[in-house]
Amino acid sequence: MPQPSAPRKALGRPPRISREEIIETARRIVYEGGVDRLTMRRLATEVGSTPMALYHHVRDKEELLVLLLDDYAARTLRRPELPADPRERVVVAAAAIHEALVACPWIVEVLTADDLMSTTALWFVEQIVDGLAACGLSPDRAVHGYRAIWYYTAGEIVVRTTAARRRAGDDRTTYRERAFAELDPHELPRLAQVADRWAPLTAEDTYLDGLRALVDGLLLSR
Amino acid sequence: MPQPSAPRKALGRPPRISREEIIETARRIVYEGGVDRLTMRRLATEVGSTPMALYHHVRDKEELLVLLLDDYAARTLRRPELPADPRERVVVAAAAIHEALVACPWIVEVLTADDLMSTTALWFVEQIVDGLAACGLSPDRAVHGYRAIWYYTAGEIVVRTTAARRRAGDDRTTYRERAFAELDPHELPRLAQVADRWAPLTAEDTYLDGLRALVDGLLLSR
DNA sequence: ACCTGAACACCGTTCAAGT
DNA sequence: ACCTGAACACCGTTCAAGT
């Protein structure tokens, strides 16, 4: 597998397209039309080449997607000012990752295709693990704590993105809406009580509240 | 769109295949070969018909997937004994949902294609919302609390399933592994400290710990 | 009402050959 | 070393026609 690579002897045919060019074009396609539009064939023609030429620069489509996520992270993740309080540091670092992911809904495809993330993101992971450790968790528990935060964050992104796609998509009522409509208030009184406010309630952005609750809870058991 | 349906006048041609038959066959295909094997064409031949016959019984592939999830839930979700303590009730209900999802890794495709779930699952949602409310949260906060638990649970499933697929898949090192290997211990000391134990640490099943932390945290802010 | 056949408009990837 | 062309083995879905 060829790398972007150190200077090399000019053996054989000179490259016509580069890894960078491929990623750049892929980014444009995704930006303009969503991940679904990103196919190897389309990418090839947009880059002015053939599908198979791409396979000389990336192993397969999955690698391309991960490369794209790396590229996105390196390009947009800015290190925030970190507060002195370690607990707040955890919250701020996690929220920064979350914010970057929210702005990048195609990410879900990649999230479910590889776990976290580029070198760029490791600094944020470090802040979270370190913050938890500074609050008194053992190194092991700090890592587990980070994982819990990552599950929560990834889940929020996946569920939110799906819901948004759904809303955009079409008008057919979801199964949940139908289920809520025919709900028996004797068997499920709490749900019946909030049934008509369920949609707006669950559409509210409560990521930060949940994150704080999770961090607080993780530090309770210290 | 035809329903499984109330008794109907026997007008026109009698059906050769039914919704139930389709779902049953789809379940078998997924069980034997994974979701990737479930295509409309394969399903059609397995059911002894043509692709287009299916579209008379389900709207499209996505509906089929949701139907399959419903079927799975109705078939395997058993209501657990609930403890008297409301906080424990929340934990037990969430853990029951989680357990059902873990046993059903193809679910990820559907999770990212629709949010929760069949009528069967609503009983569990009720228990969680009710437990949180019984601990003193307002109805709104109880719903938000449930959502946080759902994000955490869905995220755990997505990340876990992906990691497992990856492990099964091939031997190429992940980006994370590579990134961890070349990690600068001065810039990222905490990660350097646990670098060689990262894989086993994050492979541990800590769902319940994280869940308890989250629930504790949600109830702190009461 | 229900099903079929043929077609449309695609996919990702491999293989053998060319420059 | 890098790229091309043709092919393989598929997809989901629509449309027009048949029973």
Side-chain angles (χ1 to χ4, degrees):
Chain A
M1 247 206 326
Q3 293 298 96
S5 82
R8 206 170 13 182
K9 286 287 155 51
L11 298 172
R13 189 167 169 172
R16 270 229 259 281
I17 56 177
S18 67
R19 219 179 219 239
E20 285 77 43
E21 202 185 339
I22 291 174
I23 295 175
E24 202 180 294
T25 310
R27 190 173 64 234
R28 215 198 57 234
I29 293 175
V30 168
Y31 181 81
E32 287 172 1
V35 228
D36 291 348
R37 274 225 147 54
L38 181 64
T39 71
M40 297 304 267
R41 286 158 189 273
R42 190 184 305 262
L43 178 54
T45 62
E46 298 255 330
V47 99
S49 185
T50 65
M52 277 319 298
L54 303 178
Y55 287 85
H56 236 268
H57 301 269
V58 300
R59 180 204 293 256
D60 54 20
K61 192 178 179 182
E62 201 180 303
E63 191 187 63
L64 177 68
L65 250 20
V66 176
L67 251 21
L68 214 52
L69 180 51
D70 273 16
D71 174 72
Y72 177 78
R75 186 173 300 274
T76 66
L77 263 182
R78 292 283 159 267
R79 299 186 179 182
E81 292 253 14
L82 291 180
D85 176 40
R87 180 188 302 236
E88 269 311 294
R89 214 156 77 220
V90 173
V91 170
V92 167
I97 294 178
H98 180 253
E99 198 186 343
L101 292 177
V102 163
C104 179
W106 55 270
I107 228 70
V108 174
E109 245 82 354
V110 190
L111 282 188
T112 64
D114 199 327
D115 56 345
L116 247 197
M117 234 164 144
S118 63
T119 320
T120 319
L122 286 185
W123 182 84
F124 293 81
V125 178
E126 169 82 14
Q127 302 317 313
I128 293 173
V129 174
D130 183 62
L132 293 173
C135 289
L137 294 193
S138 71
D140 285 30
R141 296 190 68 104
V143 171
H144 289 149
Y146 155 72
R147 286 292 276 189
I149 291 171
W150 173 236
Y151 295 152
Y152 170 70
T153 303
E156 205 269 354
I157 296 291
V158 169
V159 172
R160 165 208 287 266
T161 308
T162 306
R165 235 202 291 258
R166 194 130 288 265
R167 241 175 288 127
D170 52 340
D171 41 19
R172 68 180 126 155
T173 54
T174 65
Y175 279 71
R176 216 209 27 229
E177 278 165 27
R178 241 173 295 157
F180 264 87
E182 345 171 308
L183 195 144
D184 177 354
H186 289 99
E187 233 222 325
L188 309 175
R190 293 285 184 192
L191 296 187
Q193 192 188 351
V194 293
D196 49 336
R197 292 188 305 122
W198 188 267
L201 269 179
T202 57
E204 275 177 54
D205 181 357
T206 56
Y207 173 77
L208 263 179
D209 296 335
L211 175 62
R212 280 183 199 285
L214 179 53
V215 173
D216 290 348
L218 289 169
L219 296 177
L220 264 184
S221 58
R222 179 178 26 170
Chain B
M1 255 207 322
Q3 294 296 97
S5 82
R8 210 172 6 187
K9 285 289 155 52
L11 298 172
R13 190 168 170 170
R16 269 230 258 279
I17 57 177
S18 67
R19 218 179 220 235
E20 285 77 45
E21 204 185 338
I22 290 173
I23 294 175
E24 204 179 293
T25 310
R27 191 174 64 234
R28 217 198 54 235
I29 293 175
V30 168
Y31 182 80
E32 288 172 1
V35 227
D36 292 349
R37 274 222 146 55
L38 181 64
T39 69
M40 297 304 267
R41 285 159 189 271
R42 190 185 306 263
L43 178 54
T45 64
E46 298 254 329
V47 98
S49 185
T50 63
M52 277 321 295
L54 303 178
Y55 287 85
H56 236 268
H57 301 268
V58 300
R59 181 203 294 253
D60 53 22
K61 193 178 177 182
E62 199 179 303
E63 190 186 64
L64 177 67
L65 249 20
V66 176
L67 250 20
L68 214 52
L69 180 52
D70 273 16
D71 174 72
Y72 177 79
R75 186 173 301 273
T76 66
L77 264 181
R78 292 286 159 265
R79 299 185 180 183
E81 293 254 12
L82 291 180
D85 176 42
R87 180 188 303 232
E88 269 312 292
R89 215 157 77 220
V90 172
V91 171
V92 167
I97 294 180
H98 180 254
E99 197 186 344
L101 293 177
V102 164
C104 181
W106 56 270
I107 228 73
V108 173
E109 246 81 352
V110 190
L111 282 188
T112 64
D114 199 325
D115 58 343
L116 250 195
M117 242 169 136
S118 62
T119 322
T120 319
L122 286 184
W123 181 84
F124 293 80
V125 178
E126 169 82 15
Q127 301 317 312
I128 292 172
V129 174
D130 183 62
L132 293 173
C135 288
L137 295 193
S138 71
D140 285 29
R141 297 190 66 104
V143 171
H144 289 149
Y146 156 71
R147 286 292 277 187
I149 291 171
W150 173 235
Y151 295 152
Y152 171 70
T153 303
E156 205 270 353
I157 297 291
V158 168
V159 173
R160 166 208 287 267
T161 308
T162 306
R165 233 202 292 257
R166 193 132 288 266
R167 242 175 287 128
D170 52 340
D171 40 19
R172 69 179 125 155
T173 54
T174 64
Y175 279 72
R176 218 213 20 236
E177 280 165 26
R178 242 174 294 158
F180 265 87
E182 346 170 308
L183 196 144
D184 178 354
H186 290 100
E187 233 223 325
L188 310 175
R190 293 284 184 192
L191 296 187
Q193 193 188 350
V194 294
D196 50 335
R197 294 187 306 122
W198 187 268
L201 269 178
T202 57
E204 275 177 55
D205 182 358
T206 55
Y207 172 77
L208 264 178
D209 296 334
L211 176 62
R212 279 183 201 284
L214 178 54
V215 174
D216 289 348
L218 290 168
L219 296 177
L220 264 184
S221 58
R222 172 181 26 172

